[in-house]
Amino acid sequence: YSPRQRLDVVVNILTNFAYHKGSIKVFGGEQLRPNLHIQDMTDLYVQLLDIPAQKINGKIFNAGYENQKVITLANTVQEVFDGDIGIEVEPTDDNRSYHISSEKIKNELGFVPQYTIKDAVLELKEAFDAGLLPNAMDDKRYFNIKTMLDIHLE
């Protein structure tokens, strides 16, 4: 795990709260979020090193596993925790959704993610169990905004 593990991205936020607080608060829940396991991302980086430049030069690719609603992500976290955590849904006026298609990278480069959202939740839970991410709720190094404020990068 990274010394600056990102605990401020949606799946990790939900897992962190489930583990340390025993509940998840979802604001809205219908918003879509694209997801990609970090192992798939790093595998793609390595794969790109072997692809001829003319196949990728000047092109833009999206790489993602699935676009899922935030409430669906929360339900996946709840499933990993054997249903032992609560999910509280609160209204929000922030209904931004992010949706990507990864068909181009699949068709042109053959990249298909191998790891699921559930895999990521399970691995993060195991890291918490092993004490690999101390002070996961409070340590600013896990949260970009907290780190930026701390170094006055406003």
Side-chain angles (χ1 to χ4, degrees), residues 22-74:
S23 66
I24 297 172
K25 191 176 288 190
V26 174
F27 297 92
E30 296 300 306
Q31 308 94 320
L32 287 174
R33 294 293 183 267
N35 292 276
L36 184 66
H37 192 288
I38 190 65
Q39 188 63 53
D40 282 320
M41 190 74 250
T42 57
D43 289 349
L44 175 58
Y45 291 154
V46 171
Q47 181 182 342
L48 289 170
L49 294 172
D50 292 328
I51 293 176
Q54 62 271 19
K55 274 190 92 169
I56 57 176
N57 190 28
K59 294 185 179 181
I60 297 171
F61 296 95
N62 289 321
Y65 168 67
E66 287 183 350
N67 301 294
Q68 286 195 4
K69 292 180 180 181
V70 174
I71 191 65
T72 303
L73 298 171

Side-chain angles (χ1 to χ4, degrees), residues 3 12 15 33 47 62 95 97 102 123 137:
N12 295 358
T15 305
R33 294 293 183 267
Q47 181 182 342
N62 289 321
N95 293 310
S97 283
S102 299
E123 291 167 9
M137 294 299 293

Side-chain angles (χ1 to χ4, degrees), residues 138-154:
D138 303 312
D139 193 325
K140 67 181 176 290
R141 68 184 155 161
Y142 303 128
F143 305 91
N144 279 359
I145 296 296
K146 291 179 182 180
T147 298
M148 290 167 58
L149 290 171
D150 188 58
I151 63 171
H152 307 289
L153 188 67
E154 301 168 37

Side-chain angles (χ1 to χ4, degrees), residues 69-106:
K69 292 180 180 181
V70 174
I71 191 65
T72 303
L73 298 171
N75 288 329
T76 299
V77 172
Q78 186 180 51
E79 178 186 330
V80 168
F81 285 81
D82 298 322
D84 290 338
I85 59 147
I87 299 175
E88 181 183 340
V89 178
E90 292 196 5
T92 185
D93 56 0
D94 183 0
N95 293 310
R96 291 173 296 159
S97 283
Y98 308 101
H99 182 269
I100 66 167
S101 170
S102 299
E103 287 301 306
K104 181 178 175 181
I105 200 164
K106 176 183 175 185

Side-chain angles (χ1 to χ4, degrees), residues 2 122 135:
S2 170
L122 282 164
N135 304 311

